[in-house]
Amino acid sequence: MEIYEELVARGLVAQVTDEPEIRELINSGKAVFYIGFDPTADSLHVGHFMALCLMKRLQMAGNRPVVLIGGGTGYIGDPSGRSDMRSVMTPETIQHNCDCFLHQMERFIDFGEGKAIMVNNADWLLKLNYVDLLRDVGACFSVNNMLRAECYKQRMEKGLSFLEFNYMIMQSYDFYHLYQHYGCNMQFGGDDQWSNMLSGTDLIRRKLGENAYAMTITLLMNAEGKKMGKTANGAVWLDPNKTSPFEFYQYWRNVGDNDVLKCIRMLTFLPVEEIDKMDSWEGSQLNRAKEILAFELTKLVHGEDEAARAEETSRGLFAGGGNTEHMPTTALTDAQFDGDTIGVLNLLVACGLCASNGEARRLVQQGGILANDKKVEEIGATFSKSDFAGEGLLLKKGKKSYHRVTL
RNA sequence: GGGGGAAUUCCCGAGUGGCCAAAGGGGACAGACUGUAAAUCUGCUGUCUACGACUUCGGUGGUUCGAAUCCACCUUCCCCCA
């Protein structure tokens, strides 16, 4: 199976500007393609992960990836799919985020000699002169068309600043620049980027009379139509310090039945034929599929060792057994004890399982707290130092949160 | 530049002098049921030394016995006219 066909089979292809041309281009390994990453945080997250995988797949098929870091566009902020304006970031923050991105990407993409290259659009965007830019490309953009673009739709009601309106022009300019300087003939991106990308191919056609191509990948949505990779606490990060490998594993271990196969197909590197066989799985087999998904992705992001460890910990906790080795642990100090004892409420807050005393109180009252597998019945319950000796005390909040407390 | 409107707890959104820690919904969390899924039902959702106390309704001052509610100024946003 050739690469284009594989992308289709995995359900990754959302929209393309010219299917026959694009198929030919990437199947023959002649594409020099770019994907842009805006440095809006100090770590990549699951959304970026899809793009990284895509780059990797295309690179394996002989194409040349160009990673574009949006150090310049970061000054503006992409309004696509947003209902409010991004807060403006300081140049220092942007630079810091760019550095973090680079570090994480090296894990996925081969930046060796003659392989992938990384560029930062700050290098050319920040040098632009307003009037020159207007004269150069301004005439190529139709405000009428821009206003019709899907990515601005939501903002037409809530308000859109001129600053953000220009994002599309900057992104188009990037493509135009990369086309001229790096022979970049293709752009990939999330489906929400479609209008921005089209305007880039348009610009190249108008300015140079040549064809460049664009293709978007399907956004990873769950069965409820929400973007995946978000939790109540924010994004699922690739940085192990922001989302631990265990949490990362658990996120995928817990996806809904209807989403498992889709995720395996789109995100893992398992052969398509193998995945096709899993299509008929149901019931407990789906539960197995979730393990595969979680393991494969954790392996890609954090390495095989971490993946195995997360899996082991997970099985230990949920399937019985007592592997407490890798769960979050808090060591108490004498100061946290009242004499020889500590109350449950204080204990829960001390180890970060609860944000406040009140929350702890509620949890206990509702029967959501277990200490060494015994339900804590009273909010006045106390533990003495001997309870934390040795392996420590295993606290369980609800069904999925575990915490080990030692001295 | 002129005129009008808005800012409420995680989000949406009621509340227009005391009965307001603030309706309702969503989300989150917990319980039951389960497969670490979904659906459903129940509880719960400011803080605390907890049947009471304290701090919150964009910001700063003011009026009042008493303010989320009234007044002044400021900040931000939206709409209409130019």
Side-chain angles (χ1 to χ4, degrees):
Chain A
M1 192 185 298
E2 297 204 77
I3 179 69
Y4 185 82
E5 282 68 30
E6 176 169 354
L7 295 183
V8 172
R10 287 184 182 273
L12 286 167
V13 179
Q15 307 188 68
V16 288
T17 49
D18 183 336
E19 183 163 18
E21 287 289 339
I22 290 174
R23 178 188 289 128
E24 165 62 22
L25 203 59
I26 65 177
N27 280 349
S28 61
K30 285 183 191 142
V32 178
F33 66 99
Y34 100 86
I35 299 184
F37 297 85
D38 269 2
T40 49
D42 60 5
S43 168
L44 296 165
H45 54 69
V46 168
H48 300 121
F49 176 68
M50 281 190 80
L52 289 175
C53 288
L54 180 74
M55 286 195 141
K56 190 168 179 169
R57 290 181 214 279
L58 287 164
Q59 184 171 46
M60 293 190 311
N63 297 287
R64 182 171 203 193
V66 176
V67 174
L68 174 80
I69 301 282
T73 29
Y75 282 67
I76 298 174
D78 184 5
S80 301
R82 295 199 124 236
S83 54
D84 50 2
M85 192 165 128
R86 275 180 207 282
S87 48
V88 179
M89 295 185 293
T90 64
E92 291 76 33
T93 309
I94 294 173
Q95 189 52 50
H96 171 72
N97 294 346
C98 288
D99 294 343
C100 292
F101 275 24
L102 190 121
H103 180 68
Q104 289 185 333
M105 285 179 180
E106 284 170 341
R107 180 177 187 93
F108 296 92
I109 314 289
D110 182 356
F111 287 102
E113 192 65 29
K115 299 288 179 57
I117 48 174
M118 177 177 280
V119 292
N120 186 333
N121 63 14
D123 292 344
W124 58 87
L125 290 185
L126 298 186
K127 282 192 292 212
L128 290 175
N129 168 291
Y130 191 59
V131 175
D132 287 346
L133 177 72
L134 285 181
R135 287 175 61 97
D136 188 18
V137 302
C140 299
F141 290 90
S142 151
V143 172
N144 308 46
N145 282 337
M146 288 173 74
L147 289 177
R148 269 192 288 272
E150 190 58 37
C151 60
Y152 293 134
K153 281 272 169 60
Q154 299 162 56
R155 298 299 292 278
M156 293 311 288
E157 310 198 343
K158 291 284 287 181
L160 174 69
S161 69
F162 185 64
L163 175 77
E164 293 178 288
F165 183 60
N166 276 272
Y167 187 89
M168 180 189 271
I169 295 177
M170 291 300 111
Q171 185 165 335
S172 306
Y173 190 86
D174 283 343
F175 198 179
Y176 171 57
H177 179 93
L178 292 174
Y179 183 88
Q180 289 181 293
H181 293 80
Y182 298 91
C184 175
N185 49 18
M186 242 192 123
Q187 180 178 184
F188 283 83
D191 204 29
D192 53 348
Q193 293 294 312
W194 183 239
S195 17
N196 289 342
M197 290 159 63
L198 275 186
S199 101
T201 59
D202 263 355
L203 179 62
I204 292 170
R205 189 173 310 115
R206 284 167 195 250
K207 287 296 292 183
L208 308 169
E210 293 173 33
N211 281 324
Y213 306 93
M215 177 179 135
T216 58
I217 44 177
T218 314
L219 292 178
L220 187 58
M221 305 279 214
N222 64 19
E224 285 153 17
K226 288 189 186 153
K227 260 194 198 182
M228 292 195 69
K230 296 264 183 208
T231 67
N233 304 323
V236 176
W237 303 101
L238 305 192
D239 180 346
N241 296 317
K242 289 169 81 89
T243 300
S244 74
F246 178 69
E247 287 172 285
F248 186 87
Y249 180 94
Q250 281 298 313
Y251 177 82
W252 299 107
R253 182 63 246 268
N254 281 311
V255 298
D257 278 14
N258 300 327
D259 301 317
V260 203
L261 263 299
K262 183 170 58 192
C263 290
I264 291 183
R265 203 174 278 282
M266 290 173 81
L267 298 171
T268 72
F269 282 80
L270 295 176
V272 176
E273 300 77 39
E274 204 172 304
I275 299 170
D276 284 340
K277 285 185 210 145
M278 296 162 84
D279 259 337
S280 56
W281 287 13
E282 49 188 39
S284 62
Q285 272 186 303
L286 272 181
N287 222 1
R288 171 67 195 137
K290 290 178 196 178
E291 272 194 341
I292 296 175
L293 172 69
F295 181 83
E296 286 297 321
L297 294 187
T298 311
K299 185 173 97 181
L300 280 169
V301 176
H302 298 294
E304 185 143 15
D305 287 353
E306 286 292 346
R309 211 171 297 169
E311 184 172 71
E312 190 191 338
T313 305
S314 167
R315 282 182 181 159
L317 287 174
F318 290 96
N323 183 345
T324 59
E325 203 178 331
H326 309 297
M327 72 178 72
T329 299
T330 301
L332 296 174
T333 61
D334 280 347
Q336 287 165 305
F337 282 87
D338 178 20
D340 183 56
T341 62
I342 182 169
V344 234
L345 304 189
N346 289 334
L347 177 62
L348 287 167
V349 176
C351 67
L353 230 35
C354 295
S356 72
N357 225 323
E359 190 183 321
R361 178 182 300 258
R362 256 173 262 129
L363 238 18
V364 172
Q365 282 167 344
Q366 298 190 118
I369 298 297
L370 278 76
N372 282 340
D373 282 325
K374 259 181 63 192
K375 188 184 280 185
V376 177
E377 309 274 1
E378 295 287 329
I379 57 171
T382 57
F383 298 90
S384 62
K385 285 186 178 172
S386 57
D387 292 321
F388 303 99
E391 284 283 288
L393 183 79
L394 178 63
L395 274 180
K396 186 176 173 190
K397 172 193 149 194
K399 292 186 200 93
K400 294 178 194 169
S401 303
Y402 293 86
H403 204 95
R404 187 160 59 114
V405 191
T406 59
L407 280 178

